[in-house]
Amino acid sequence: MEKNDYRNDTAVFGSEEMLQPAPADKLPMHGTRPEVAYQMVKDETFAQTQPRLNLATFVTTYMDPFATRLMNEAISINYIDETEYPRVAVMSAKCINIMANLWNTPEQSKWKTGALAIGSSEACMLGGVAAWLRWRERREAQGKPYDKPNFVISTGYQVVWEKFADLWQIEMRTIPLSREHPTLDAQAVIAKCDENTICVVPIQGVTWTGLNDDVEAIDKALDEYNARTGYDIPIHVDAASGGFILPFINPEKRWDFRLKWVLSISTSGHKYGLVYPGLGWVVWKDKKYLPGKMSFSVNYLGADITQVGLNFSRPAAQILGQYYQFIRLGYEGYKQVQSNSMEIARYLHDEIGKMPQFANYCDEVVNPLFIWHMCKDYAPTARWTLYDLQDKLKQNGWMVPAYSMPKDIEEMVVMRIVVRQGFSRDMADMLLDDMRAAITELERLEYPTPSRLAQDRNEKVNGSVFTHTGHKREKQH
Ligand SMILES: *Cc1c(COP(=O)(O)O)cnc(C)c1O
């Protein structure tokens, strides 16, 4: 039979294509029936785990049916086609206004200064580049060299900051996290600053730990330092998660534009902004902090909108999704959703903390995520590791990642849970039951697991506990 010689009633799984390997190198010569092509692609992307049982990701895995419909209907819209869809740009600007106000912007103009991004990664890049260009302009005006820029961040940084450093050739000065200083220490920050520091980057919702850097303390320390030295070192807050948690859970806490040196903030609309990927936002405290080189203004429908971004074409559906969520939920709605996530995270944190094998990394839960590790006195007696528990839970469909901590505390292996909208107390109880059952099985093992043996070997060699071999830095979602 010729490849395309099928009868219309040939069943998908009766087709020739389903007997053949899928194309991996070359464009196939002939086409395939849509039903078959659909099935092949669908099967290959068959979820390894139920997205909502994936407690590793920060990214939205649930939106209500109206949001889903709205976004699906907008799938063909390119954001950049402003002449065709001018209202989408206006809608994006409204979202920026709403976020700027959630973060207490002092900017008075009708349209606040910010930009749409594909995620926090692009948003962080834009915030970082703006700080870099501002610093360059100032140095140039002072007749000083501007070839050795640096920025200061904790080792709890997300991988985008490593990219920012490498791609733009900006030195990344890191401050180790430790048990004594589980977040970015303000005095250590100052010790790393000099005339070439373009900005300091505290994180709200550190990917590795779920904790918040103390932006207020860093702001205060920088204020004294800047006054003493005559520098103008600002803060960019990477609030990928925290940007949509703090305004609802802890509105009194000062981490945002209320602080003097916070000039830009980035967040992921597709994390606790509650929109499907990919969507990010960056907002500046005022138009004057966005270098002219990065922006261009367009004027339509009476709205003067500033456009900034690394991409040209980009999907518009996420903007509709974000604006829908703002209207659908309102402040109270977001607060309820985030409070539920917080409460369920705290519940899991308490229950896991009570398990005799485990200890929580921190007593408090400030974002709906937390990490824990094996108790110091239990770990040496266990025939298993958290990597084994991760594998066991996977068998029940749960994705709960185990990983080693960043530099300087890398000997510590932890497990993390991120609670998002779509995760209920009932699901938390199911997870806890599955965890207890898995641990019971692991404790019955007569012989140590391979990961346990590797860990012990490594202890003997290095005097420290096994870490993932050869990893430069594990990707943190
Ligand atoms: C997730 C995250 C990022 C990257 O965000 P994306 O939206 O995935 O691009 C950056 N910083 C922190 C702290 C994050 O948690």
Side-chain angles (χ1 to χ4, degrees):
M1 199 163 74
E2 280 297 307
K3 192 151 186 347
N4 263 10
D5 183 17
Y6 61 82
R7 289 169 34 182
N8 270 335
D9 60 356
T10 304
V12 167
F13 286 100
S15 67
E16 179 62 23
E17 285 88 345
M18 285 301 182
L19 278 179
Q20 305 300 330
D25 297 312
K26 287 188 180 157
L27 188 65
M29 187 54 70
H30 302 287
T32 301
R33 267 197 298 162
E35 301 89 321
V36 173
Y38 171 87
Q39 196 64 48
M40 288 174 84
V41 175
K42 186 82 184 169
D43 289 351
E44 191 154 346
T45 50
F46 195 74
Q48 309 270 302
T49 174
Q50 284 290 322
R52 282 169 60 198
L53 302 187
N54 180 355
L55 304 184
T57 184
F58 288 75
V59 175
T60 300
T61 44
Y62 168 84
M63 289 181 84
D64 73 34
F66 283 97
T68 308
R69 189 170 113 200
L70 198 55
M71 288 180 70
N72 281 338
E73 287 165 0
I75 202 162
S76 60
I77 299 183
N78 182 1
Y79 173 79
I80 209 70
D81 288 340
E82 285 146 357
T83 43
E84 281 170 84
Y85 317 110
R87 293 309 300 184
V88 178
V90 177
M91 198 179 279
S92 166
K94 288 182 188 174
C95 289
I96 288 168
N97 279 354
I98 288 170
M99 268 169 310
N101 283 316
L102 273 177
W103 298 336
N104 298 291
T105 180
E107 193 173 14
Q108 290 301 315
S109 57
K110 176 161 189 237
W111 300 105
K112 315 302 179 204
T113 308
L116 163 72
I118 285 294
S120 274
S121 302
E122 188 188 4
C124 289
M125 289 278 180
L126 294 172
V129 167
W132 174 46
L133 292 178
R134 289 197 309 265
W135 169 85
R136 272 177 72 122
E137 277 164 21
R138 212 168 40 247
R139 298 282 292 178
E140 218 172 343
Q142 295 167 340
K144 291 183 177 156
Y146 48 87
D147 57 342
K148 289 196 168 54
N150 69 69
F151 69 103
V152 181
I153 195 167
S154 85
T155 51
Y157 64 82
Q158 206 266 358
V159 67
V160 61
W161 292 106
E162 207 171 333
K163 296 183 191 171
F164 174 69
D166 287 349
L167 298 180
W168 268 269
Q169 293 290 293
I170 297 173
E171 183 197 349
M172 176 163 66
R173 297 188 172 168
T174 56
I175 295 168
L177 298 179
S178 63
R179 291 319 291 266
E180 300 74 50
H181 294 290
T183 58
L184 185 57
D185 177 55
Q187 287 318 311
V189 165
I190 298 304
K192 292 263 188 204
C193 287
D194 60 26
E195 61 180 345
N196 291 317
T197 304
I198 63 165
C199 66
V200 175
V201 183
I203 301 165
Q204 299 300 278
V206 175
T207 333
W208 299 80
T209 61
L211 299 176
N212 293 332
D213 290 333
D214 187 346
V215 191
E216 191 166 15
I218 293 164
D219 183 74
K220 189 158 167 277
L222 267 181
D223 196 40
E224 287 163 11
Y225 179 77
N226 284 339
R228 193 167 73 239
T229 57
Y231 305 154
D232 283 311
I233 302 177
I235 294 172
H236 173 88
V237 185
D238 176 354
S241 299
F244 273 105
I245 294 294
L246 285 161
F248 305 105
I249 295 299
N250 199 353
E252 304 307 318
K253 187 177 156 79
R254 289 156 53 85
W255 64 277
D256 54 16
F257 292 125
R258 284 168 288 187
L259 300 175
K260 181 172 170 189
W261 294 98
V262 173
L263 301 191
S264 51
I265 301 174
S266 54
T267 198
S268 295
H270 57 217
K271 289 184 178 173
Y272 291 98
L274 309 178
V275 180
Y276 289 137
L279 182 67
W281 302 100
V282 53
V283 177
W284 285 271
K285 190 175 218 161
D286 190 275
K287 202 169 163 62
K288 65 176 183 251
Y289 300 118
L290 176 63
K293 277 179 191 158
M294 287 176 68
S295 68
F296 62 96
S297 284
V298 280
N299 203 310
Y300 31 65
L301 293 185
D304 188 16
I305 291 168
T306 303
Q307 286 206 317
V308 187
L310 298 179
N311 294 68
F312 185 68
S313 296
R314 65 173 80 227
Q318 287 76 4
I319 299 160
L320 275 66
Q322 184 77 81
Y323 195 53
Y324 169 85
Q325 292 289 46
F326 285 157
I327 297 172
R328 162 72 187 91
L329 295 170
Y331 182 86
E332 280 303 321
Y334 265 93
K335 188 173 167 179
Q336 284 165 349
V337 170
Q338 317 299 37
S339 302
N340 278 8
S341 294
M342 284 298 295
E343 205 164 302
I344 290 163
R346 286 191 177 121
Y347 170 68
L348 283 167
H349 180 262
D350 288 351
E351 292 301 307
I352 289 169
K354 281 185 216 155
M355 296 182 183
Q357 299 85 359
F358 299 142
N360 282 313
Y361 182 74
C362 243
D363 291 337
E364 48 168 11
V365 180
V366 293
N367 289 291
L369 66 133
F370 63 96
I371 58 173
W372 72 94
H373 52 86
M374 274 192 183
C375 291
K376 269 209 162 59
D377 45 353
Y378 179 78
T381 69
R383 296 195 185 90
W384 54 284
T385 68
L386 292 177
Y387 297 108
D388 297 310
L389 180 58
Q390 171 183 323
D391 288 345
K392 277 249 174 272
L393 290 174
K394 220 183 258 172
Q395 292 166 13
N396 293 315
W398 302 105
M399 184 58 222
V400 185
Y403 56 91
S404 55
M405 290 291 277
K407 218 169 83 202
D408 297 307
I409 39 174
E410 62 206 2
E411 76 285 353
M412 177 178 265
V413 176
V414 299
M415 224 168 187
R416 184 184 70 194
I417 284 180
V418 178
V419 175
R420 304 180 304 281
Q421 174 173 228
F423 195 72
S424 62
R425 162 66 190 260
D426 184 43
M427 290 165 81
D429 282 325
M430 288 192 285
L431 171 66
L432 288 168
D433 284 347
D434 286 344
M435 274 180 76
R436 290 188 190 103
I439 293 169
T440 305
E441 271 188 53
L442 288 166
E443 290 200 319
R444 280 205 205 107
L445 289 175
E446 281 182 44
Y447 301 104
T449 62
S451 106
R452 180 71 235 180
L453 288 171
Q455 192 161 309
D456 291 345
R457 259 199 313 278
N458 217 320
E459 259 169 11
K460 281 207 192 88
V461 177
N462 295 335
S464 76
V465 184
F466 168 76
T467 59
H468 258 19
T469 45
H471 89 303
K472 187 178 175 200
R473 180 163 205 92
E474 270 167 84
K475 186 163 155 269
Q476 298 290 300
H477 295 287

